Amino acid sequence: MAKRNTRPILSLFVVALLGAGLTWSFWPRPLMVDIGNVQREPMIVTIDEDGRTRVHDAYIVSTPVAGRLLRVEVEPGDVVEKGKSVVAQMLPINPAALDIRTREQARAAVTAAEAALRVAKADLNKAIADLELEQSELKRTQSLAKRGTVSQSTLERAQSKTRRASATRDTAEAAISMREAELVNARARLIGFDDPKAGGNAPLEKEIPLYSPTDGRILKIVQRSATTLPAGAPVMEIGNIEGDLEIVVELLSSDAVQIREGNRVIIDDWGGEELLGGKVSRIDPLGFTKISALGVEEQRVNGVIQFTGDQVKRDALGHGFRVTARIVVWEDDNALVVPSNALFRMGENWAVFAVVEGKATQKQVTIGRNNGLKAQILEGLDIGDAIILYPSAAVSDGKAVASR
């Protein structure tokens, strides 16, 4: 009898347990979401671009004359002093070897120059003789004029002839100087590499030292090996890294118009542990076209940034180093902000899902600045409000939610 009464009780218990399990399984549960809060904190908006360091006033040391540069012994990074440090040595170039035709042409030019000099000397002798004759005639005419034998006009003509003869003599003397110079020039063309007067294979003059044009360090050696170079050929580049280093960034022209001289710059990704400071010193007025890595044609503008702060912190930086420049175009030390990932579009406006009493509540907001990580809230939220981050399609107005 007891056995029959126990069976219905067990059946009812199993049914109740099964019903409770089904009810628990299908009971509506809150959606698990990430929740953040509206806060007041410092916020900045920056324009980030890769840049490179450079020495503002870099000097190119070049050969002053054509000649043979001796092997350069200095190394990049060596400290040099203006007007005292010898950075290279060179020898003036020897005369080139003459071929047969050039030598014969030079000999003919020497012969012609010698003949022209003899003609000039003959002209000088004639001019001297004419001058002596005119001077004698002038003395006689002056004596006769004193006695009244000749007229005043005759005396003046004699004086004029004497002056013309004197000028002719001066011209002949000048012509001789010109012919002598032409002869020297013609003979110089005959000097060859193997001419004994040129010293054979020896240099024409002693070594010419090349001094550093500025205080600083050697940045780059353009020509190290001994070789023959023309005048004005670059040998090395020198600059003052410690006191003259700056950053050049290529900005999109649409970004450049938002930047002003004096804007604060945060210098990152330069290899050091600390962020460096800087300020914008110049935005070039001329843009240029550049093709991006994706093949897009862009209009770029060069911006120049000066370092600020302690120079010791950036001692490791040199000429041509890569850095990331974050140019601050707007900042607020006490802005009401939300994470940018909480925002979504609602028509032409922005909105968020606020969490009110465990439910998602859609709110329209007015935002100010947005730097991609944080957005400035102007209207629609207050400090401390809970909001849903990364709202998915499963979130809707009035949906029960809970923190993940």
Side-chain angles (χ1 to χ4, degrees):
M1 185 69 181
K3 194 172 183 180
R4 293 180 179 178
N5 293 333
T6 304
R7 184 177 296 175
I9 295 173
L10 291 175
S11 299
L12 290 173
F13 178 76
V14 171
V15 171
L17 185 62
L18 181 61
L22 292 174
T23 302
W24 182 83
S25 299
F26 291 99
W27 193 266
R29 297 179 183 176
L31 181 66
M32 305 304 290
V33 295
D34 295 316
I35 296 177
N37 295 99
V38 182
Q39 302 178 28
R40 283 197 176 272
E41 58 185 47
M43 176 182 172
I44 62 173
V45 177
T46 62
I47 294 174
D48 300 352
E49 285 289 350
D50 288 340
R52 69 184 186 281
T53 60
R54 73 175 183 187
V55 174
H56 178 70
D57 291 322
Y59 291 82
I60 300 295
V61 178
S62 58
T63 53
V65 295
R68 182 169 181 78
L69 176 72
L70 303 182
R71 182 172 179 81
V72 176
E73 301 296 338
V74 296
E75 298 290 341
D78 287 353
V79 178
V80 293
E81 191 174 351
K82 179 179 180 180
K84 295 183 179 180
S85 300
V86 177
V87 295
Q89 299 271 4
M90 68 176 300
L91 301 172
I93 194 169
N94 284 324
L98 299 177
D99 56 32
I100 296 177
R101 182 177 65 180
T102 303
R103 183 177 294 277
E104 292 304 317
Q105 289 175 341
R107 286 175 177 171
V110 170
T111 301
E114 291 173 344
L117 178 59
R118 289 195 297 271
V119 171
K121 289 180 178 180
D123 291 341
L124 176 61
N125 292 333
K126 178 179 180 300
I128 292 174
D130 291 343
L131 177 60
E132 292 175 350
L133 177 61
E134 295 298 335
Q135 288 175 341
S136 299
E137 288 291 335
L138 178 59
K139 289 180 181 180
R140 287 192 293 270
T141 303
Q142 288 174 340
S143 299
L144 294 174
K146 289 179 181 179
R147 295 196 294 269
T149 306
V150 297
S151 64
Q152 183 65 28
S153 61
T154 302
L155 175 61
E156 291 175 353
R157 281 195 296 272
Q159 291 174 340
S160 176
K161 289 180 180 180
T162 302
R163 287 194 294 270
R164 287 198 298 270
S166 178
T168 302
R169 183 199 61 184
D170 293 340
T171 301
E173 290 177 346
I176 288 178
S177 298
M178 292 174 58
R179 301 308 177 190
E180 288 175 344
E182 290 174 355
L183 179 59
V184 171
N185 186 38
R187 286 173 176 170
R189 295 177 185 173
L190 281 172
I191 298 176
F193 183 79
D194 55 350
D195 197 300
K197 294 181 180 180
N201 292 331
L204 291 178
E205 299 179 10
K206 63 180 181 180
E207 296 176 356
I208 300 175
L210 304 184
Y211 292 95
S212 172
T214 185
D215 296 331
R217 295 178 182 270
I218 296 174
L219 305 177
K220 179 182 179 182
I221 304 295
V222 179
Q223 181 62 51
R224 178 176 292 280
S225 300
T227 185
T228 301
L229 296 175
V235 178
M236 67 184 64
E237 189 173 355
I238 297 177
N240 185 355
I241 294 177
E242 286 76 14
D244 201 25
L245 199 64
E246 62 185 16
I247 299 173
V248 179
V249 292
E250 295 180 354
L251 301 165
L252 288 171
S253 59
S254 57
D255 290 338
V257 297
Q258 304 176 47
I259 300 172
R260 297 292 180 268
E261 292 184 7
N263 279 23
R264 184 167 71 93
V265 181
I266 302 169
I267 300 166
D268 198 359
D269 293 337
W270 63 279
E273 296 181 356
E274 299 183 22
L275 298 177
L276 300 179
K279 65 177 182 179
V280 177
S281 63
R282 188 181 74 249
I283 300 295
D284 286 354
L286 177 66
F288 57 92
T289 302
K290 186 175 181 179
I291 306 300
S292 70
L294 299 176
V296 179
E297 187 176 279
E298 299 174 339
Q299 204 66 15
R300 294 273 177 171
V301 179
N302 277 336
V304 180
I305 298 169
Q306 298 291 338
F307 285 99
T308 59
D310 191 358
Q311 192 271 331
V312 176
K313 295 181 180 179
R314 57 177 186 275
D315 274 345
L317 282 176
H319 181 71
F321 284 35
R322 175 193 170 278
V323 299
T324 297
R326 300 169 56 198
I327 303 173
V328 179
V329 294
W330 179 89
E331 58 184 327
D332 188 345
D333 293 333
N334 191 31
L336 186 65
V337 299
V338 297
S340 297
N341 52 44
L343 297 169
F344 61 91
R345 279 290 187 180
M346 187 178 64
E348 296 183 355
N349 302 314
W350 289 99
V352 299
F353 280 114
V355 180
V356 180
E357 297 179 353
K359 294 184 178 182
T361 303
Q362 182 173 297
K363 288 187 176 183
Q364 180 178 322
V365 295
T366 302
I367 68 171
R369 298 280 184 162
N370 190 340
N371 61 12
L373 298 177
K374 303 175 184 177
Q376 180 192 22
I377 298 298
L378 301 179
E379 293 180 358
L381 293 173
D382 294 320
I383 186 170
D385 288 351
I387 55 173
I388 297 177
L389 307 179
Y390 310 104
S392 65
V395 181
S396 59
D397 194 19
K399 180 79 171 179
V401 295
S403 179
R404 193 187 306 277

